[in-house]
Amino acid sequence: MTSLVFLVAGIIFCPTHSWAFQEEGTNDFNQYRGEVVDESTNKPLVFATISVEGTNISTITNTEGDFLLKVPKDIDIAAGNVIVSFLGYKSKTIPLLQFQPEGNTIALLVSVTQLSEININAPKDAKALVKETFARKGENYFNDLTLMTAFYRETIKKRRRNVSLSEAVVSVYKTPYNSTRNDALELYKARKSTDYSKLDTVALKLQGGPFNTLYVDIMKYPEYIFADGSIDDYTFSFDRSTRINDRLIYVIKFNQLETIMEPLYGGELFIDVENKTLTSAIYNLNITDKDAAARLFVRRKPVGVDVWPTEVAYRVDYREKGGKWYYGYSSVMMEFKVDWADKLFNSVYSMTAEMAITDWEKNETGQLPRNRERVKKSIILSDEAVGFSDPDFWGEYNIIEPEKSIESAIRKIQRQLRRSQRNSK
């Protein structure tokens, strides 16, 4: 079994921290903030997609349903539309002229699937459908070299408190889905902060940085979940149907066979049956054997400390343009318990990494970043980034809107920066 070996949590002693400033960004764009909610319940819709029609510009909602969309000023607002879509809901198209800089609330209706619709031309073998979906990735997904702009965020929390934040804009040099060549990454802009006093002198560092989320693109990298032959180590069954972008989607549940002892995965695959296309996948690592699961992630730890994962969850979403699908968003969430031999209580940490494609274009020249400019698979982003600064840091780049807890942490960091400046005068 080939595991997601690049999702590595290194646990080491780290006694220092630093802050730094960055220059302000440009202002050649209009920005719009708002939220996407369920029309009936008014509950926030998490990871809804907001895109500008006729362009490759998009963003997603955060875990509180909030979004921030930046649109270049050279786009004709009078003629522009925004498309809002979410799995299981009817998509909505809204004129860009109707958007205000703040306070835009977009309510989506649940897309109800009739029972009779489920049975029409329904496939009988769930595993065969999954195999065919992977076999047809060359015709259903991008087959051009593509240069993507992505926003990446890493957070580490001790229980509910943010103790480490790292964010970056990266360029993703995406290779065709039927190619065996790996994608390449180039770091464009990054910032970070870590409050080591909240980490009990232990720092959790996520080795691999943006590669953690990139390798969750299981249509490009099926070997990290269904290695050669390992698809037979799973059971597959039809669960229900739903809709995305008004297309009928079958939900297939999968779990490892009970006879398989090593940690594998279980979850749901969302497949457009008409075109045999995977539109989303949500799954978890089996951590029943906590020692075996820990060996997949923990590379270094202090003496007298036991560390094991209590949850490891993944998600990937794909988007469609011109009849072809492409990687749009992915996330990884890992929760760990840290048990010190000389302490009465355990510490619980969660580590989340997410990446959203916010723009893309064909890589007409096929040019790749030079080796010294490429992000290495062993990168630890918090070591590469330089610190938090002003709210204009990202300029025109679309980002995932920070949650309230992250915004509070950033404001605290900014206050610390101002105090440090005053004290140094």
Side-chain angles (χ1 to χ4, degrees), residues 17-34:
H17 63 275
S18 62
W19 317 108
F21 282 98
Q22 290 286 339
E23 75 278 1
E24 290 188 8
T26 60
N27 194 27
D28 296 327
F29 58 90
N30 297 305
Q31 69 177 29
Y32 309 94
R33 279 189 166 87

Side-chain angles (χ1 to χ4, degrees), residues 89-154:
Y89 286 72
K90 293 181 180 179
S91 300
K92 182 173 283 189
T93 301
I94 304 168
L96 195 52
L97 273 176
Q98 293 184 10
F99 277 77
Q100 302 298 319
E102 303 279 347
N104 300 284
T105 298
I106 302 165
L108 299 184
L109 273 172
V110 172
S111 180
V112 178
T113 301
Q114 299 297 325
L115 186 61
S116 59
E117 190 176 13
I118 299 174
N119 297 321
I120 297 175
N121 300 320
K124 305 301 181 185
D125 188 335
K127 180 188 284 190
L129 176 60
V130 171
K131 286 184 174 181
E132 185 176 359
T133 298
F134 279 97
R136 293 180 60 174
K137 66 179 183 178
E139 59 187 276
N140 287 335
Y141 295 80
F142 276 9
N143 51 21
D144 296 308
L145 291 169
T146 311
L147 179 58
M148 296 178 163
T149 300
F151 175 76
Y152 174 79
R153 175 181 289 144
E154 278 179 20

Side-chain angles (χ1 to χ4, degrees), residues 37-45 89 107-110:
V37 299
D38 179 299
E39 186 170 287
S40 301
T41 65
N42 208 39
K43 290 183 178 179
L45 298 182
Y89 286 72
L108 299 184
L109 273 172
V110 172

Side-chain angles (χ1 to χ4, degrees), residues 152-180:
Y152 174 79
R153 175 181 289 144
E154 278 179 20
T155 64
I156 299 176
K157 294 183 179 182
K158 182 179 180 182
R159 300 205 181 269
R160 295 184 179 181
R161 177 176 295 182
N162 284 292
V163 294
S164 181
L165 303 171
S166 302
E167 297 181 321
V169 171
V170 296
S171 297
V172 182
Y173 293 79
K174 207 87 170 71
T175 57
Y177 275 81
N178 58 359
S179 168
T180 57

